[in-house]
Amino acid sequence: MNSLQLVYKQKHALWLKVLFASFAISNQKIKDELYEMANIEFRHMKWISNALKEQNLEYNYERDMINIQKESNHDYFAYLMGEIQLVMKTYNPDEPLFARMMSDEYYFLKRLDFLLGGGNDEITAFNKQRKYEDKNLDATSTDALTYFLFEESYKEYELIMVYAYMQNYTDNSTLYNVYQDLIDESQYHLKCFGNMLGKMGILALPRIIIEEIYKRDDLKQFFLDGIDEEKAAKEECRKLAEAVKDDQLATFFEYINYQENYHIELMQKAISEL
Amino acid sequence: MAELNDNQVQQVTTEILDHMMDPKNYGKMDKPTCVGIANDSKTGEYTLMYLLIEDDNLKDIKFACNACQDTVVSGSLFTEMIKGESMEYAKSAAQRLGEKIKDAPKKQQACSGMVLRAFEAALLHLKAKNNGEDIDMCALEMEESCEIEGENHE
């Protein structure tokens, strides 16, 4: 594996570690700060994937085993600092891309170190309680919500990575923008579902994405399948909204359901560009 | 108001939740002895199964899929059950599980069935290789679809 390919693999893992730490931690201010760090790590990933493409080097979404289960905020901050420092060791500081990434991550290290000096909280995102806030969901609704969140958090992660891959390899500006819109939408959905998984005590990393899923030759078929999946997701949201017997949750799932309509429009727009 | 019934949602036991949060043996294998794939052309879902066999023992097993959460859980449970065992045990376990899921709700039958079908395809690949055929993997089409009773699944 080329050194840039290795950096990509490690960046992908680091993005997930920071992102899921933001879902695990309850303190909203810290959660928001970690989420912003994760977004910057995602941008680093995008730049590295572009550099790989320019060097005609392939990359994939394989990753090593990651254990995100920590007991306290401080455990998380220390863990992330260690992980960031490990990735930084792989950079060539003479290259502008790496210099930028190092600058960002020096700042992250300072912030995490500062947070380590502050108050500590227990992490409840892995306690498997399956209780969502103060809701009194019955067992069937809780099971349905559990399945939905696992299905959809994986799906959103998959979509982010698939569209990012396709965006990197398109020369068509309309398609590029469609991919960006779809990535942004899936980032938002993943954030919603990840935070819900954390609140329910069942937060887990999505499974790895096999390359058959993102290395696709038939783009038209890919989008047609995507439209079917969006329709299925809409139906799942609608059914869940009806079944959870809670107005606030039902409203939220209806809101997600209607967002899928626009995704279908975007995919149809993409098909017309092929 | 619609109700989610048992046919649509499998009960999430502690064991199932563990496999959902941390699916076992998920991913690709670099140098497998044989590879099988179960395809559901109706939904576009598929499951890949990789076996590493040494001295008639299943030294390692991995699976990967583009399928629903039930399939992931079934794959995780099944591969954990047979990993490290003799091939004879693995085959009989697959047969027993196949019998057991006949009583399960249709959707679970389809999802667990996809895992067993991928295992069956891997065994076909093994047989083909033992007969001197040079093929990358064997594929089998699903008879039952995960898309049950008009339910449009992931």
Side-chain angles (χ1 to χ4, degrees):
Chain A
M1 188 182 278
N2 168 288
S3 60
L4 197 58
Q5 289 166 317
L6 183 65
V7 175
Y8 184 83
K9 183 180 175 183
Q10 294 190 339
K11 269 284 174 191
H12 175 200
L14 183 60
W15 167 60
L16 287 172
K17 288 166 190 170
V18 181
L19 183 66
F20 277 70
S22 84
F23 300 152
I25 285 173
S26 305
N27 180 299
Q28 191 60 48
K29 206 171 162 192
I30 298 172
K31 184 188 278 295
D32 291 345
E33 184 166 2
L34 290 180
Y35 188 74
E36 289 308 316
M37 286 182 195
N39 281 343
I40 290 171
E41 292 294 356
F42 185 79
R43 292 217 291 278
H44 291 180
M45 261 173 69
K46 185 175 173 179
W47 296 334
I48 300 166
S49 65
N50 194 253
L52 283 162
K53 185 188 79 171
E54 286 175 359
Q55 293 178 35
N56 284 321
L57 290 168
E58 260 296 334
Y59 61 97
N60 61 47
Y61 294 151
E62 283 174 20
R63 55 179 210 245
D64 297 328
M65 188 77 175
I66 300 173
N67 179 7
I68 58 163
Q69 296 201 12
K70 308 293 164 211
E71 291 186 359
S72 71
N73 285 9
H74 281 193
D75 287 350
Y76 248 124
F77 304 147
Y79 167 69
L80 292 179
M81 285 176 76
E83 295 301 304
I84 290 170
Q85 283 163 336
L86 275 178
V87 176
M88 287 173 84
K89 282 182 186 167
T90 63
Y91 299 162
N92 175 359
D94 296 331
E95 291 186 26
L97 172 62
F98 289 126
R100 158 66 199 261
M101 295 192 310
M102 284 185 94
S103 165
D104 289 343
E105 284 167 345
Y106 274 128
Y107 176 72
F108 296 166
L109 289 174
K110 287 275 183 198
R111 286 298 305 158
L112 289 165
D113 190 45
F114 173 79
L115 292 170
L116 253 180
N120 200 5
D121 284 320
E122 182 194 351
I123 299 284
T124 58
F126 311 104
N127 66 13
K128 301 181 185 172
Q129 291 294 307
R130 293 206 296 141
K131 178 102 180 71
Y132 188 73
E133 295 181 329
D134 57 349
K135 313 291 181 199
N136 277 317
L137 301 178
D138 63 24
T140 308
S141 298
T142 303
D143 287 348
L145 182 58
T146 302
Y147 268 104
F148 176 86
L149 291 175
F150 273 96
E151 292 278 10
E152 294 304 316
S153 58
Y154 168 74
K155 199 72 220 172
E156 300 299 348
Y157 164 62
E158 180 191 285
L159 289 174
I160 291 165
M161 301 307 283
V162 171
Y163 293 134
Y165 192 86
M166 292 183 169
Q167 187 184 45
N168 196 31
Y169 285 99
T170 187
D171 295 323
N172 178 312
S173 61
T174 303
L175 276 178
Y176 188 96
N177 290 334
V178 166
Y179 291 135
Q180 188 59 52
D181 278 343
L182 289 167
I183 290 168
D184 293 343
E185 292 281 302
S186 285
Q187 293 266 25
Y188 174 68
H189 285 185
L190 179 59
K191 180 184 178 184
C192 293
F193 302 145
N195 281 318
M196 290 177 83
L197 283 166
K199 283 179 182 174
M200 288 183 74
I202 51 174
L203 183 63
L205 279 180
R207 60 189 188 271
I208 61 163
I209 307 167
I210 54 176
E211 64 182 12
E212 284 83 353
I213 292 174
Y214 54 90
K215 294 184 177 175
R216 299 281 294 260
D217 295 327
D218 187 348
L219 277 185
K220 186 176 178 186
Q221 190 57 49
F222 169 79
F223 282 116
L224 289 172
D225 291 345
I227 289 170
D228 283 344
E229 285 181 4
E230 293 289 350
K231 287 177 180 169
K234 273 175 62 62
E235 181 60 13
E236 290 299 316
C237 277
R238 189 196 59 75
K239 280 196 293 193
L240 197 57
E242 285 185 354
V244 290
K245 304 182 187 76
D246 178 271
D247 285 347
Q248 279 184 342
L249 278 176
T251 307
F252 170 74
F253 288 116
E254 287 292 354
Y255 157 72
I256 296 290
N257 174 359
Y258 284 108
Q259 289 188 343
E260 309 290 2
N261 288 339
Y262 186 58
H263 301 175
I264 292 170
E265 286 299 311
L266 286 170
M267 288 186 205
Q268 283 167 341
K269 187 175 174 184
I271 289 172
S272 69
E273 285 293 315
L274 298 174
Chain B
M1 180 168 280
E3 296 278 344
L4 289 173
N5 59 45
D6 290 343
N7 212 29
Q8 291 169 303
V9 181
Q10 187 179 2
Q11 191 186 356
V12 182
T13 61
T14 307
E15 186 186 19
I16 286 178
L17 186 61
D18 286 343
H19 286 275
M20 288 171 88
M21 291 180 75
D22 182 20
K24 305 290 186 288
N25 309 309
Y26 192 87
K28 283 196 159 182
M29 192 186 288
D30 279 341
K31 289 178 181 170
T33 310
C34 52
V35 186
I37 181 168
N39 276 313
D40 183 347
S41 51
K42 194 172 167 190
T43 60
E45 293 187 350
Y46 56 84
T47 295
L48 286 149
M49 186 76 70
Y50 306 85
L51 312 184
L52 181 66
I53 302 164
E54 279 184 14
D55 301 327
D56 216 30
N57 283 313
L58 191 52
K59 194 181 175 195
D60 198 7
I61 180 165
K62 283 194 178 294
F63 78 103
C65 59
N66 180 23
C68 69
Q69 196 63 38
D70 284 326
T71 307
V72 177
V73 170
S74 298
S76 181
L77 284 161
F78 177 63
T79 55
E80 273 295 273
M81 194 197 312
I82 62 173
K83 186 177 174 179
E85 301 288 347
S86 68
M87 284 306 291
E88 189 184 345
Y89 177 88
K91 287 174 196 171
S92 74
Q95 202 169 10
R96 284 198 307 276
L97 186 62
E99 290 297 320
K100 199 175 165 186
I101 62 171
K102 283 179 183 168
D103 299 326
K106 288 277 182 195
K107 185 173 171 302
Q108 285 172 46
Q109 279 185 38
C111 298
S112 300
M114 184 179 265
V115 171
L116 295 177
R117 194 83 168 144
F119 181 69
E120 188 186 339
L123 294 180
L124 280 178
H125 185 215
L126 179 67
K127 192 175 174 185
K129 279 177 80 173
N130 288 341
N131 287 337
E133 290 181 51
D134 184 19
I135 49 175
D136 292 336
M137 65 168 75
C138 277
L140 288 173
E141 184 63 29
M142 289 299 295
E143 288 162 5
E144 290 286 335
S145 180
C146 183
E147 197 177 57
I148 301 295
E149 294 167 4
E151 189 181 351
N152 202 357
H153 202 63
E154 180 196 61

Short mmCIF file of all heavy atoms in Angstrom, two decimals, chain A residues 138 140 242-243 245, chain B residues 1-5 8:
data_model
loop_
_atom_site.label_atom_id
_atom_site.label_comp_id
_atom_site.label_asym_id
_atom_site.label_seq_id
_atom_site.Cartn_x
_atom_site.Cartn_y
_atom_site.Cartn_z
N ASP A 138 -43.56 1.14 23.63
CA ASP A 138 -43.75 -0.27 23.98
C ASP A 138 -42.65 -1.10 23.31
O ASP A 138 -41.87 -0.60 22.50
CB ASP A 138 -45.16 -0.75 23.62
CG ASP A 138 -45.44 -0.69 22.13
OD1 ASP A 138 -44.48 -0.73 21.33
OD2 ASP A 138 -46.62 -0.58 21.75
N THR A 140 -42.61 -3.44 21.02
CA THR A 140 -42.62 -3.57 19.55
C THR A 140 -42.12 -2.28 18.90
O THR A 140 -41.33 -2.33 17.94
CB THR A 140 -44.05 -3.90 19.05
OG1 THR A 140 -44.53 -5.03 19.79
CG2 THR A 140 -44.04 -4.23 17.58
N GLU A 242 -46.07 5.97 12.09
CA GLU A 242 -47.39 5.51 12.51
C GLU A 242 -47.31 4.59 13.73
O GLU A 242 -48.21 4.55 14.55
CB GLU A 242 -48.07 4.74 11.36
CG GLU A 242 -48.58 5.67 10.27
CD GLU A 242 -49.35 4.92 9.20
OE1 GLU A 242 -49.40 3.67 9.23
OE2 GLU A 242 -49.89 5.59 8.32
N ALA A 243 -46.22 3.84 13.79
CA ALA A 243 -46.14 2.79 14.81
C ALA A 243 -45.60 3.25 16.16
O ALA A 243 -45.91 2.63 17.18
CB ALA A 243 -45.28 1.65 14.29
N LYS A 245 -46.21 5.65 18.10
CA LYS A 245 -47.22 6.16 19.05
C LYS A 245 -46.66 7.28 19.92
O LYS A 245 -46.87 7.32 21.13
CB LYS A 245 -47.75 5.02 19.94
CG LYS A 245 -48.34 3.85 19.16
CD LYS A 245 -48.89 2.79 20.10
CE LYS A 245 -49.34 1.54 19.36
NZ LYS A 245 -48.23 0.70 18.92
N MET B 1 -54.70 3.37 12.97
CA MET B 1 -53.24 3.49 13.13
C MET B 1 -52.57 2.14 12.86
O MET B 1 -53.01 1.11 13.39
CB MET B 1 -52.92 3.97 14.55
CG MET B 1 -51.44 4.13 14.79
SD MET B 1 -51.07 5.01 16.31
CE MET B 1 -51.33 6.68 15.77
N ALA B 2 -51.52 2.13 12.07
CA ALA B 2 -50.85 0.87 11.72
C ALA B 2 -50.09 0.31 12.91
O ALA B 2 -49.61 1.04 13.76
CB ALA B 2 -49.87 1.11 10.58
N GLU B 3 -50.07 -0.98 12.97
CA GLU B 3 -49.31 -1.66 14.02
C GLU B 3 -48.16 -2.40 13.36
O GLU B 3 -48.32 -2.97 12.30
CB GLU B 3 -50.19 -2.70 14.72
CG GLU B 3 -51.38 -2.08 15.44
CD GLU B 3 -51.01 -1.55 16.80
OE1 GLU B 3 -49.94 -1.90 17.32
OE2 GLU B 3 -51.81 -0.77 17.36
N LEU B 4 -47.01 -2.39 14.00
CA LEU B 4 -45.92 -3.24 13.50
C LEU B 4 -46.15 -4.61 14.10
O LEU B 4 -46.20 -4.75 15.31
CB LEU B 4 -44.57 -2.68 13.95
CG LEU B 4 -44.14 -1.41 13.26
CD1 LEU B 4 -42.87 -0.88 13.91
CD2 LEU B 4 -43.90 -1.63 11.80
N ASN B 5 -46.32 -5.62 13.26
CA ASN B 5 -46.58 -6.94 13.81
C ASN B 5 -45.32 -7.80 13.80
O ASN B 5 -44.28 -7.40 13.27
CB ASN B 5 -47.72 -7.63 13.06
CG ASN B 5 -47.39 -7.76 11.60
OD1 ASN B 5 -46.29 -8.15 11.25
ND2 ASN B 5 -48.35 -7.44 10.74
N GLN B 8 -43.21 -8.40 10.77
CA GLN B 8 -42.38 -7.34 10.21
C GLN B 8 -41.13 -7.10 11.06
O GLN B 8 -40.09 -6.76 10.52
CB GLN B 8 -43.18 -6.04 10.13
CG GLN B 8 -44.28 -6.11 9.08
CD GLN B 8 -45.20 -4.93 9.22
OE1 GLN B 8 -45.80 -4.69 10.25
NE2 GLN B 8 -45.32 -4.17 8.15
#
